Amino acid sequence: MTETLLGIPLDRLVDREAIELARRAGMSVVSYRPEDFEGMRRAGRIAAEALDLMVPEVKPGVTTEYLDKLCFEYVLDHGAFPACLGYRGYRHTVCTSVNHVVCHGIPSDRALRDGDVVNIDVTVIIDGWHGDTSRMYYVGDVKRKAQRLVEITYESMMRGINVVKPGATTGDIGYAIQSYAEGEERCSVVRDFCGHGLGRVFHALPNIVHFGRKGHGTQLRPGMFFTVEPMINLGGHAVKVLNDGWTAVTRDRSLSSQFEHSIGVTPTGFEIFTLSPKGWHCPPYDI
Ligand code: MF3
Ligand code: CO
Ligand code: CO
């Protein structure tokens, strides 16, 4: 397992840089061993439990900083460490992306408001294994239009995951997502961010882009670990990053939504490492 790339620690690199350097260095996609699945299950479970913990906490008046603090404590209390903390200078455990924020929203003292939709994205490391997952949450009463986007995004992620098996390609995943979200539902798939290999490192190959063509891309093999994390917009797909260097927003300020699972390729299909132990897969969550 490579912990550095061209002499640079992988955790100092942002996704696209790491992926580009990896490609240029001729790095290939790592296949893990059957016994490595157990490490990913432990990491994935803690990450998913942290998201379950958020379900009764997300409500009008609550700050995203407070949600971040709860996740920080949960992760540490369970023997894990927040992978985002210190990553490229990021200072929080989770990303909290509200309404038109596409991803990498920074927790702050701004209170959530009735009608908001928010994505909470957490990544934990335990015994060197990474678990990376995110879900959407409704703040109070949410308009039907926003609920529809969230449902489409969840379905997009699951359609992408459901095609995963040895011999399928990363392009098959992108095609499943794009043909549904754009073709059937007339939403837009974000191009500028993608899913990623993970395991011993946070961001690695393969690159999981959420659009594409059947049969293109990298062929999947048993033991590959990666995320599927589509960002779907109600308006156009274009994104810009704010001056804080992190917060990505839709250029047209339309609503954006995202879900993320960490998965492994098995001999017959896939295993999801970050399923909610409480069955809270997609809102509205039944408390
Ligand atoms: N969890 C994000 C992902 O899905 C990465 C966040 S990096 C951070 O890949 F530094 F912003 F936290
Ligand atoms: Co991820
Ligand atoms: Co994530």
Side-chain angles (χ1 to χ4, degrees):
M1 234 62 59
T2 317
E3 297 288 345
T4 63
L5 187 57
L6 309 178
I8 306 165
L10 274 182
D11 60 4
R12 299 275 309 277
L13 296 164
V14 73
D15 328 7
R16 260 179 296 177
E17 284 171 338
I19 288 161
E20 187 48 37
L21 281 168
R23 207 182 15 241
R24 272 192 246 146
M27 247 175 76
S28 54
V29 180
V30 172
S31 290
Y32 290 92
R33 301 163 303 174
E35 54 267 40
D36 295 334
F37 278 70
E38 196 47 45
M40 291 299 284
R41 284 181 198 126
R42 289 187 66 205
R45 189 180 320 120
I46 293 170
E49 285 168 358
L51 293 187
D52 281 353
L53 179 75
M54 295 292 95
V55 167
E57 301 294 340
V58 174
K59 50 197 165 197
V62 165
T63 68
T64 47
E65 227 163 47
Y66 174 71
L67 300 173
D68 182 69
K69 176 172 169 281
L70 289 180
C71 279
F72 174 74
E73 283 163 4
Y74 188 88
V75 170
L76 288 188
D77 284 350
H78 289 78
F81 192 81
C84 294
L85 199 58
Y87 177 82
R88 291 279 295 189
Y90 195 76
R91 305 179 62 82
H92 305 271
T93 296
V94 295
C95 297
T96 49
S97 303
V98 182
N99 297 337
H100 71 294
V101 178
V102 173
C103 63
H104 302 164
I106 303 171
S108 74
D109 58 5
R110 172 200 181 282
L112 293 171
R113 288 192 289 252
D114 188 61
D116 286 345
V117 292
V118 58
N119 173 278
I120 304 179
D121 189 340
V122 65
T123 310
V124 312
I125 314 175
I126 183 161
D127 298 330
W129 296 103
H130 289 74
D132 185 5
T133 183
S134 82
R135 283 179 224 156
M136 296 302 294
Y137 299 80
Y138 296 159
V139 183
D141 289 320
V142 167
K143 287 207 178 79
R144 184 59 208 144
K145 193 178 78 165
Q147 290 188 21
R148 177 181 164 262
L149 174 66
V150 168
E151 288 161 10
I152 289 166
T153 309
Y154 179 75
E155 176 70 15
S156 297
M157 174 182 68
M158 293 313 296
R159 286 194 185 205
I161 291 172
N162 275 313
V163 302
V164 170
K165 62 177 182 193
T169 69
T170 55
D172 295 345
I173 301 173
Y175 176 80
I177 292 168
Q178 186 178 27
S179 60
Y180 169 68
E182 294 188 350
E184 292 182 37
E185 298 295 345
R186 300 288 152 205
C187 294
S188 304
V189 176
V190 169
R191 272 68 161 161
D192 292 2
F193 297 93
C194 59
H196 49 91
L198 84 172
R200 285 300 193 183
V201 294
F202 190 174
H203 293 111
L205 294 177
N207 209 333
I208 306 294
V209 295
H210 303 107
F211 55 93
R213 292 161 65 171
K214 277 186 190 170
H216 284 224
T218 304
Q219 214 172 59
L220 304 179
R221 299 186 303 266
M224 284 184 183
F225 298 158
F226 53 83
T227 70
V228 179
E229 50 178 304
M231 286 140 273
I232 309 292
N233 300 344
L234 269 185
H237 65 71
V239 163
K240 69 175 178 193
V241 176
L242 300 186
N243 285 333
D244 60 24
W246 287 105
T247 313
V249 299
T250 53
R251 280 197 174 268
D252 60 11
R253 295 187 69 86
S254 69
L255 276 187
S256 186
S257 163
Q258 180 180 29
F259 284 85
E260 176 176 23
H261 272 315
S262 297
I263 74 173
V265 183
T266 66
T268 53
F270 60 87
E271 175 175 340
I272 302 177
F273 299 125
T274 46
L275 281 178
S276 163
K278 295 213 187 277
W280 287 334
H281 305 305
C282 181
Y285 302 118
D286 235 333
I287 307 183

